[in-house]
Amino acid sequence: MSESTLQSTLPPGPVMVDVEGATLTEHERARLCDPLVGGVILFARNFENRAQLSELCRAIHEARDEPLLIAVDHEGGRVQRFRSDGFTSIPAMSVFGKLWAEDSLAAMRLASETGYVLGAELRACGVDLSFAPVLDLDYGVSQVIGNRAFHRDPRVVALLARALIQGLMLAGMSACGKHFPGHGAVEADSHHEIPVDGRSFDEIMKEDAAPYGWLGDMVLPSVMPAHVIYREVDPNPAGFSPFWIQKVLRQDLGYDGVVFSDDLTMEGATVAGDILARAEAALTAGCDMVLVCNRPDLADELLSRLRHEHDQDAVQRIRRLMPSVPAPDWDALQADERYQYARRLQSQIVSA
């Protein structure tokens, strides 16, 4: 079989990698053709301007006959990777929670408009998925979550998230809820520490995990578990826990969307061992795709060592995240009256 024929038959693999700069290197092009790769996550370092971003996304999509999924953490507030050359400043999600207290229906309307602007602008440049929204509850103790959370009340979180997701869907973009079952009640930042949550299973399910059950995979097509150990429930972080992913999420909540691991290079993931052990733990626990960010050496190590047979159910779930309709380019989007209207409404919100 020729190399081109082999490449054309590659389904999306279980590993999401990143790229170093504004253009692809030859080594990165080769990495993207590895059968284990299924997606690429972008960061602020990958953005110089819209034209460059669009070209980078085009090159990534063209690296494989079946395009790789391109994702980004683009939530709003302090987590927004692209901020210049026409990209709208997206508010932190806590803004909608504050608006809820004044007018709940208006808050939902503005959340939908914001989701549409966010998704439409990313798609106009070739990005397929934003890892948003955050479904963590705002307990006022987690600095890494903070104003990324909509609200303390899980009902308000679910309704505002649903509204934002509706806007994303209107732009042709899927959503990803994070960090299951909840990161908001622990002070430690899983980027730098190993957070431990000492609450009971019933309390977590009644509060933090509730939005996931209410939304389901029809509304929320992908989920990212937390690198948090819920010590009264399981000794493993949720992203490495068959109990949390297979028993609670898949079985009890009936969830059939994609499960992404959080970044395996974070400190909260180190409890599982080296990069291969972390990936194997996440995939065995039930994750469909694992993320390896900011460490290309570890990405290459994982791709050389991981032995993994494609799970057809996981492949089909990942494929469902890809946009199903073409997106207008940037100029066409700017001329679109629906986008102009949404942007005017969204611009009334002060970025937080």
Side-chain angles (χ1 to χ4, degrees), residues 8-29:
S8 68
T9 61
L10 291 180
V15 180
M16 178 171 280
V17 299
D18 59 11
V19 295
E20 185 174 355
T23 59
L24 290 181
T25 67
E26 286 307 308
H27 181 71
E28 287 169 342
R29 290 180 190 275

Side-chain angles (χ1 to χ4, degrees), residues 8-280:
S8 68
T9 61
L10 291 180
V15 180
M16 178 171 280
V17 299
D18 59 11
V19 295
E20 185 174 355
T23 59
L24 290 181
T25 67
E26 286 307 308
H27 181 71
E28 287 169 342
R29 290 180 190 275
R31 183 189 295 138
L32 298 186
C33 291
D34 190 297
L36 291 172
V37 172
V40 176
I41 181 170
L42 300 179
F43 292 91
R45 66 173 183 269
N46 303 123
F47 176 77
E48 293 177 350
N49 54 61
R50 287 184 285 102
Q52 167 271 322
L53 177 63
S54 297
E55 176 60 24
L56 176 61
C57 290
R58 184 195 63 78
I60 293 170
H61 280 145
E62 291 183 355
R64 298 258 283 259
D65 185 72
E66 180 176 340
L68 295 168
L69 180 74
I70 300 177
V72 66
D73 285 314
H74 200 84
E75 306 166 8
R78 57 194 161 93
V79 184
Q80 179 172 344
R81 303 308 188 201
F82 315 139
R83 296 178 176 273
S84 60
D85 199 18
F87 271 95
T88 301
S89 178
I90 304 297
M93 295 299 103
S94 63
V95 167
F96 301 108
K98 294 171 183 174
L99 286 172
W100 179 276
E102 303 171 14
D103 188 333
S104 58
L105 295 180
M108 291 179 66
R109 171 68 185 276
L110 288 170
S112 290
E113 303 292 348
T114 298
Y116 175 68
V117 170
L118 188 161
E121 291 181 351
L122 289 176
R123 288 214 57 213
C125 293
V127 178
D128 304 310
L129 172 71
S130 178
F131 286 122
V134 166
L135 299 182
D136 300 316
L137 306 187
D138 184 10
Y139 288 94
V141 300
S142 175
Q143 291 186 353
V144 70
I145 301 301
N147 65 4
R148 296 165 66 192
F150 285 107
H151 204 272
R152 167 61 181 84
D153 187 332
R155 294 167 180 81
V156 176
V157 169
L159 289 170
L160 288 174
R162 188 183 186 95
L164 186 94
I165 292 167
Q166 183 180 34
L168 289 172
M169 292 174 67
L170 183 62
M173 178 172 280
S174 297
C176 179
K178 58 189 186 184
H179 306 84
F180 177 81
H183 199 308
V186 290
E187 184 177 357
D189 179 353
S190 55
H191 291 84
H192 309 293
E193 304 172 72
I194 302 173
V196 177
D197 189 326
R199 295 175 300 154
S200 70
F201 175 74
D202 289 344
E203 183 178 358
I204 295 166
M205 293 303 296
K206 181 180 178 181
E207 296 277 354
D208 302 61
Y212 295 90
W214 290 327
L215 294 172
D217 56 77
M218 290 276 292
V219 174
L220 189 68
S222 65
V223 163
M224 179 178 287
H227 284 323
V228 175
I229 296 173
Y230 304 88
R231 67 183 179 208
E232 298 300 311
V233 182
D234 191 289
N236 301 300
F240 300 147
S241 167
F243 177 80
W244 279 114
I245 298 176
Q246 296 181 37
K247 172 65 168 64
V248 178
L249 187 60
R250 294 284 193 213
Q251 183 176 323
D252 296 348
L253 299 183
Y255 186 77
D256 190 37
V258 173
V259 178
F260 290 99
S261 82
D262 207 342
D263 178 14
L264 295 183
T265 71
M266 290 165 57
E267 183 64 26
T270 60
V271 295
D274 67 8
I275 192 64
L276 176 63
R278 298 174 209 176
E280 288 178 336

Side-chain angles (χ1 to χ4, degrees), residues 88-91 96 110 113-114 117 339-351:
T88 301
S89 178
I90 304 297
F96 301 108
L110 288 170
E113 303 292 348
T114 298
V117 170
Y339 167 78
Q340 292 174 3
Y341 177 72
R343 200 168 187 268
R344 283 197 301 272
L345 284 183
Q346 194 272 330
S347 68
Q348 298 173 10
I349 309 169
V350 177
S351 182

